[in-house]
């Protein structure tokens, strides 16, 4: 079964022009991510998912998400755009779609945005107790304050880690109790004991995607006043921990923060630059 529209036919095209399997796999990864993003983030497409319903606006939104929230490099941006252009050109020239959504989109120089702030860690108790914030948002901040990355807490099986966590104070205890009560009926619906799950029934793949989670986080950014992309939250956590443990040896910090020596040195230098 194709994992995205016309995958089998597109594979034949790529093989016919001599593309290696590694290259074909790279196309697959990009196109799966695109169509997952569209289903999660573009309601008009999600209402009638088909390659023929992908618009230039949809593709631009996806590329902007990669650039602004996934912090991709210029080289990666241009590579992804090239992959999408070849795919949609193939569909258009074979009359499988009526429009060519990447026709007027061109690669351009971009600089990744850095939005690092450690202040949220000092206000975590207030954030966890704030009912104006969505529970998924508060859960991401809570887990980020414990050093977990988005790749870890969206991983199947992370529910076991959640249930092993011990609150540090009454605020964390009350939040964990509230979140557990909130997620319980969704876990029952999906027959899955993890904690970041889709609201709609999908027992084959119940876990929310990175893009789907970001939709919740984005809605709370203006209220909190800082970027909530999990990557930035994790980087902020690392900077905060380094600042709080200045007497620790490099080996202790590497173990505590799960960093190699080069990454630790990078964050130590970044901390000095942000002063």
């Amino acid at each position: 079964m194709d994992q995205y529209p016309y995958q089998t036919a597109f594979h034949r095209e790529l093989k016919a022009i001599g593309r290696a399997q590694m290259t074909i796999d790279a196309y697959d990864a990009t196109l799966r991510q695109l169509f997952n993003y569209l289903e999660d983030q573009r309601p008009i497409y999600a209402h009638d998912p088909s390659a023929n319903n992908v618009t230039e606006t949809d593709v631009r939104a996806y590329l902007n998400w990669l650039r602004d929230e996934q912090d991709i490099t210029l080289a990666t941006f241009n590579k992804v755009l090239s992959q999408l252009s070849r795919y949609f050109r193939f569909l258009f020239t074979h009359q499988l779609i009526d429009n060519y959504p990447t026709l007027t989109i061109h690669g351009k120089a971009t600089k990744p945005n850095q939005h690092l702030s450690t202040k949220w860690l000092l206000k975590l108790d207030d954030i966890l107790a704030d009912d104006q914030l969505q529970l998924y948002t508060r859960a991401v901040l809570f887990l980020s304050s414990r050093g977990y990355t988005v790749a870890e807490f969206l991983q199947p099986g992370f529910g076991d880690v959640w249930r092993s966590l011990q609150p540090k104070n009454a605020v964390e205890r009350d939040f964990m109790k509230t979140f557990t009560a909130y997620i319980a009926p969704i876990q029952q619906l999906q027959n899955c004991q993890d904690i970041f799950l889709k609201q709609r029934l999908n027992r084959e793949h119940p876990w929310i995607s990175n893009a789907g989670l970001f939709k919740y986080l984005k809605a709370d950014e203006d209220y909190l006043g800082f970027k909530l992309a999990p990557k930035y939250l994790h980087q902020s956590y690392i900077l905060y921990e380094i600042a709080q443990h200045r007497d620790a040896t490099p080996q202790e910090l590497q173990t505590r923060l799960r960093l190699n020596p080069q990454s630790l040195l990078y964050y130590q230098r970044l901390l000095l630059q942000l002063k």
Side-chain angles (χ1 to χ4, degrees):
M1 182 179 296
D2 286 355
Q3 297 173 315
Y4 56 84
Y6 303 109
Q7 181 184 25
T8 300
F10 188 49
H11 275 197
R12 286 197 296 267
E13 169 78 3
L14 294 174
K15 291 176 180 177
I17 59 176
R19 293 295 181 261
Q21 186 60 47
M22 183 179 298
T23 301
I24 295 174
D25 291 344
Y27 274 98
D28 284 347
T30 294
L31 290 164
R32 283 197 303 267
Q33 186 183 57
L34 167 69
F35 285 101
N36 285 338
Y37 171 86
L38 295 178
E39 286 199 30
D40 283 337
Q41 298 290 324
R42 308 296 292 178
I44 294 177
Y45 172 85
H47 179 71
D48 186 10
S50 127
N52 198 45
N53 289 333
V54 179
T55 66
E56 177 182 330
T57 302
D58 290 330
V59 176
R60 287 187 183 278
Y62 168 67
L63 291 170
N64 288 339
W65 174 72
L66 287 177
R67 181 192 62 198
D68 297 337
E69 305 305 334
Q70 300 302 302
D71 200 24
I72 62 171
T73 64
L74 172 59
T76 300
F77 180 94
N78 288 333
K79 178 180 178 181
V80 168
L81 178 55
S82 175
Q83 291 170 333
L84 297 181
S85 294
R86 178 173 288 280
Y87 171 73
F88 286 112
R89 184 167 65 249
F90 163 74
L91 298 185
F92 185 73
T93 57
H94 286 76
Q95 300 181 336
L96 298 171
I97 57 176
D98 299 323
N99 63 83
Y100 187 175
T102 56
L103 181 62
T104 61
I105 304 177
H106 306 288
K108 58 183 179 178
T110 59
K111 290 185 178 180
N113 293 320
Q114 294 294 334
H115 300 275
L116 300 180
S117 171
T118 60
K119 294 180 180 178
W120 64 272
L121 287 154
L122 302 174
K123 301 177 180 178
L124 184 62
D125 285 355
D126 291 336
I127 291 172
L128 294 181
D130 191 341
D131 290 334
Q132 296 296 315
L133 294 167
Q134 299 175 91
L135 282 163
Y136 271 177
T137 298
R138 284 183 273 169
V140 167
L141 287 160
F142 172 68
L143 292 169
S144 296
S145 77
R146 297 293 184 96
Y148 294 105
T149 67
V150 64
E152 290 171 327
F153 53 71
L154 292 185
Q155 181 74 16
F158 188 81
D160 292 335
V161 177
W162 168 264
R163 286 180 286 277
S164 72
L165 293 176
Q166 297 299 314
K168 296 179 180 178
N169 55 41
V171 174
E172 291 190 356
R173 181 196 64 214
D174 292 345
F175 165 71
M176 294 183 71
K177 182 178 179 180
T178 298
F179 184 84
T180 298
Y182 163 78
I183 200 64
I186 304 175
Q187 290 172 328
Q188 184 175 7
L189 172 71
Q190 303 288 18
N191 192 29
C192 178
Q193 293 304 302
D194 289 320
I195 61 170
F196 289 104
L197 302 173
K198 296 174 180 176
Q199 304 286 330
R200 292 179 295 179
L201 178 64
N202 186 343
R203 290 189 173 179
E204 290 187 3
H205 195 85
W207 306 278
I208 196 169
S209 68
N210 198 328
L213 179 62
F214 180 73
K215 181 169 61 176
Y216 289 93
L217 298 173
K218 188 69 174 177
D220 286 327
E221 277 190 351
D222 288 342
Y223 180 78
L224 284 173
F226 60 92
K227 295 289 285 186
L228 292 176
K231 174 178 179 177
Y232 298 139
L233 296 177
H234 185 65
Q235 291 176 337
S236 299
Y237 159 80
I238 291 175
L239 293 174
Y240 178 80
E241 288 294 308
I242 292 174
Q244 294 299 306
H245 298 88
R246 296 185 183 277
D247 295 332
T249 67
Q251 291 73 23
E252 289 171 339
L253 288 173
Q254 289 166 32
T255 299
R256 181 184 185 90
L257 302 175
R258 295 178 290 168
L259 297 174
N260 59 40
Q262 293 77 17
S263 295
L264 176 60
L265 182 59
Y266 165 80
Y267 282 108
Q268 287 173 325
R269 289 175 175 171
L270 181 57
L271 185 61
L272 292 174
Q273 294 171 8
L274 294 176
K275 284 186 176 181

